[in-house]
Amino acid sequence: MSLLRVEGLSKLFGGVHAVAELSVAIEPGRIHSVIGPNGAGKTTLLNLVTGIYQPSQGRILMADEDVTALSTAARARRGVARTFQNLQIFFNMSAVENVMVGRHLHLSDRLVPTLLRLPSVMRANRAAQEKAVELMRFVGLAAYLDAEADAMPYGALKRLEIARAMASEPRLLLLDEPAAGLNPKETGEIDELIQKIARAGTTVVLVEHDMKLVMGVSDHILVLDYGRRLAEGTAAEIRANPDVIRAYLGTQAA
Amino acid sequence: MLRLASARTGGLVALAAIVAALPLFFPNNFYYDVAIKTALNAIVCIGLNLLIGYAGQISLGHAGFFALGGYASAILTARYGWPGLLAMLAGAVGVGLLAFAIARPVLRLRGHYLAMATLGLGIIVAIIINREIAITGGPDGMTVPRLWVGGWRVSGAVAWYWVAAGALLLAVWLSLNLIDSTLGRALRALHGSEIAAQTAGIDTTRYKVLVFVISAVFASLAGSLFAHAEGYVTPIEAGFLRSIEFVTMVVLGGMASTFGAVAGAAILTALPQLLTVFQDYKHLVLGAILIGVMIFMPNGLVPSVALSLRRLRPPVPAS
């Protein structure tokens, strides 16, 4: 059973196919990467999978359940979490609170106990906070436990998004360019972090331009070009694929 | 978080102390009257701040809910002889249901469109109150019987001061509880990034509806208390200017700050009374103060003051 399957998926933006008749299966327990030139449809694919966009055609299945018509929140409930290429941080909250929001699905939010601040609410608050602190340490943000989100540097915010996504204990984690804008040292740390997450049992889908990172961590790579599947396979297979080389470097190089 | 918890308790205790000590400085009943109006405005602002400051949705129609609460109490007690508390409760439930019914279509809108829709709502309420003379007394308003709580008849400025102050402290406590919870974080999250909130599994529409209803109920309850405290309600309470006044209080005091909402309400209720010494220039001075605060403290009074206090203290090393 595939964790995620898209079948004949298309997304049109005013006549342009951002994603075209794409069929892909994501197997559990591996690190999958989606690569391709700019505008290949990588982020569009993530937006379709998380329900931020509605597909023009095709179906999306999670563990064999058709989720095409479900909302973003309903899909999160089925175990999908993601980070964003252009950061989507809650800048009106502290770093820890950002991660606590990620725990939302595991917490009760009943109105009356909340208004009366019953002991059960206090306990849930404390547990969520402890979990958030643990996750911030896990992603390497131990130095920012007391920070407000709007006082943190870019590289730290990238990790904060990963911690927030992990807080929901997802089965499938979609990372949209986690290394973009990071220096080589920081990218190396993200590399380790991704492997740590995968080892802990979460299936990772990585959209990334940093080829060193992609080739190093991926068990399986999908190459998109103009919204279509250009190639699929292991890092070695992709590196040797003439179509991929042509798409990236032009026909002269091939 | 510990820091937050202590600020919360400290703030509540400080507010309670201020409320308890204030009457010592009141030379006459006029001051009590201003204080009562301040407390009831503050309750509306605390609810409105949950909607505007925390959840990031605007409403220019909350005076409509305030007036509906007031008129529900007035009509049910004066014309139908209901007990005051029951009428107040019925008003709150009715307003809550109305808010729930209109929330879904209205909150699909954003920015200016949401402002327009809520503005329209307030105006419709004002028109109905003005026109239904047989029930509401029309533009002249109507008198409201005294409130009975059990066997106690609440009358006189001093008694109303303590009732309004108690209600204010309760509202502050409820608001602080709401914010520091899963629910409150969900509200703030949908303000910060709606997409990221949805991705975290938050049904953002549901939370917008919920906070709209809560803020409407706060306004309704304050309106009921206002009607009984004044002994009189007029359609002015439903007016557009009243709605703007509430929003101004929230913005002036500081968005996303419960104590800011109280401070904003206190300043904008009390200041016009204190500024009467400037006579004809009263509005000019008030306007200058508002402009000054917004230029030098764009985050509003309480958050700006809190920030400068934090900067004064040496930073605590991260553990």
Side-chain angles (χ1 to χ4, degrees):
Chain A
M1 185 176 70
S2 305
L3 193 52
L4 169 72
R5 210 162 72 233
V6 308
E7 291 176 352
L9 199 66
S10 294
K11 178 67 185 173
L12 280 150
F13 288 115
V16 178
H17 273 97
V19 169
E21 289 157 32
L22 189 67
S23 295
V24 184
I26 300 289
E27 302 305 324
R30 297 166 70 183
I31 300 177
H32 304 256
S33 284
V34 181
I35 63 169
N38 282 324
K42 307 180 292 290
T43 297
T44 305
L45 178 61
L46 292 197
N47 284 339
L48 287 166
V49 168
T50 49
I52 292 165
Y53 293 160
Q54 273 301 306
S56 312
Q57 250 172 31
R59 300 201 300 161
I60 299 161
L61 297 101
M62 283 174 189
D64 290 343
E65 183 197 0
D66 190 336
V67 298
T68 317
L70 294 184
S71 70
T72 301
R75 294 184 202 196
R77 235 168 279 141
R78 282 161 180 75
V80 190
R82 73 171 285 186
T83 66
F84 296 86
Q85 183 186 349
N86 50 343
L87 293 171
Q88 295 286 337
I89 296 286
F90 307 126
F91 283 114
N92 51 345
M93 300 165 115
S94 72
V96 172
E97 285 175 324
N98 264 270
V99 183
M100 287 167 82
V101 171
R103 288 297 291 165
H104 185 81
L105 289 171
H106 298 273
L107 298 169
S108 155
D109 65 341
R110 294 196 0 255
L111 181 61
V112 173
T114 297
L115 283 175
L116 300 180
R117 204 170 175 80
L118 296 184
S120 64
V121 175
M122 306 279 284
R123 268 198 304 276
N125 249 356
R126 255 195 309 275
Q129 194 191 349
E130 278 163 19
K131 181 79 186 173
V133 168
E134 179 193 318
L135 278 164
M136 283 183 67
R137 292 187 200 280
F138 178 78
V139 301
L141 288 177
Y144 294 97
L145 291 179
D146 289 325
E148 292 295 317
D150 59 8
M152 290 167 70
Y154 183 76
L157 291 175
K158 288 240 148 190
R159 287 156 186 270
L160 188 63
E161 280 213 338
I162 296 176
R164 183 178 67 194
M166 287 301 290
S168 66
E169 298 173 25
R171 286 193 288 169
L172 179 64
L173 175 64
L174 314 173
L175 299 173
D176 197 353
E177 302 205 17
L182 301 188
N183 65 34
K185 179 172 164 284
E186 290 171 323
T187 304
E189 289 164 1
I190 290 284
D191 186 327
E192 277 169 35
L193 181 57
I194 292 171
Q195 301 201 38
K196 222 161 51 165
I197 290 169
R199 270 201 306 276
T202 303
T203 307
V204 176
V205 172
L206 173 68
V207 166
E208 185 52 64
H209 277 299
D210 189 314
M211 282 307 135
K212 193 163 153 268
L213 175 63
V214 168
M215 295 298 170
V217 298
S218 311
D219 298 310
H220 172 258
I221 299 174
L222 166 72
V223 188
L224 293 182
D225 195 21
Y226 296 108
R228 289 170 196 280
R229 178 172 54 201
L230 189 68
E232 210 176 337
T234 63
E237 286 163 5
I238 294 301
R239 220 180 270 130
N241 189 311
D243 290 337
V244 175
I245 296 167
R246 203 177 302 125
Y248 266 88
L249 302 175
T251 36
Q252 290 292 309
Chain B
M1 221 49 174
L2 234 166
R3 194 185 57 206
L4 207 94
S6 65
R8 173 198 145 81
T9 319
L12 255 177
V13 170
L15 184 65
I18 292 172
V19 161
L22 266 183
L24 298 174
F25 304 99
F26 289 169
N28 56 43
N29 270 355
F30 172 72
Y31 285 77
Y32 279 100
D33 190 48
V34 174
I36 292 162
K37 286 199 176 101
T38 299
L40 298 179
N41 282 340
I43 293 171
V44 180
C45 291
I46 289 165
L48 198 55
N49 177 50
L50 292 172
L51 179 73
I52 302 179
Y54 285 108
Q57 314 296 312
I58 186 77
S59 169
L60 297 182
H62 260 55
F65 297 129
F66 181 80
L68 282 175
Y71 273 94
S73 281
I75 293 166
L76 290 176
T77 53
R79 303 209 194 284
Y80 298 97
W82 285 36
L85 287 180
L86 189 64
M88 194 181 296
L89 194 69
V93 170
V95 165
L97 288 174
L98 173 70
F100 180 77
I102 57 173
R104 241 164 223 280
V106 164
L107 291 169
R108 289 175 78 99
L109 307 170
R110 286 161 201 268
H112 301 315
Y113 298 101
L114 179 59
M116 290 297 291
T118 50
L119 176 67
L121 174 78
I123 290 174
I124 290 169
V125 171
I127 290 173
I128 292 172
I129 291 173
N130 267 311
R131 291 291 172 84
E132 295 298 323
I133 296 170
I135 306 168
T136 63
D140 295 337
M142 65 184 287
T143 48
V144 188
R146 283 291 170 198
L147 180 67
W148 287 81
V149 180
W152 179 47
R153 180 166 165 270
V154 188
S155 73
V158 180
W160 269 107
Y161 175 79
W162 294 113
V163 169
L168 171 65
L169 287 172
L170 183 65
V172 169
W173 184 68
L174 292 175
S175 169
L176 292 174
N177 289 351
L178 187 72
I179 287 314
D180 185 23
S181 73
T182 306
L183 214 158
R185 280 187 296 276
L187 290 181
R188 286 182 283 161
L190 75 87
H191 185 191
S193 163
E194 198 160 342
I195 281 186
Q198 286 167 351
T199 310
I202 294 168
D203 181 348
T204 50
T205 309
R206 191 181 144 241
Y207 283 91
K208 285 187 199 172
V209 170
L210 180 69
V211 72
F212 191 70
V213 170
I214 291 173
S215 70
V217 168
F218 268 58
S220 172
L221 290 172
S224 288
L225 288 174
F226 177 86
H228 283 296
E230 293 292 302
Y232 212 80
V233 273
T234 67
I236 292 172
E237 300 309 331
F240 166 61
L241 286 175
R242 205 65 175 108
S243 285
I244 299 294
E245 199 183 11
F246 287 135
V247 174
T248 314
M249 288 170 179
V250 171
V251 174
L252 178 78
M255 304 255 262
S257 163
T258 299
F259 293 109
V262 178
I267 290 167
L268 278 183
T269 313
L271 205 56
Q273 311 294 339
L274 300 175
L275 291 178
T276 45
V277 291
F278 292 100
Q279 293 174 357
D280 288 352
Y281 300 103
K282 178 180 126 180
H283 289 106
L284 195 69
V285 175
L286 182 65
I289 291 174
L290 288 186
I291 293 169
V293 169
M294 287 343 285
I295 289 175
F296 296 108
M297 300 178 169
N299 295 323
L301 277 172
V302 169
S304 300
V305 171
L307 188 69
S308 32
L309 282 179
R310 223 175 298 145
R311 286 204 180 126
L312 281 178
R313 259 185 308 185
V316 188
S319 53

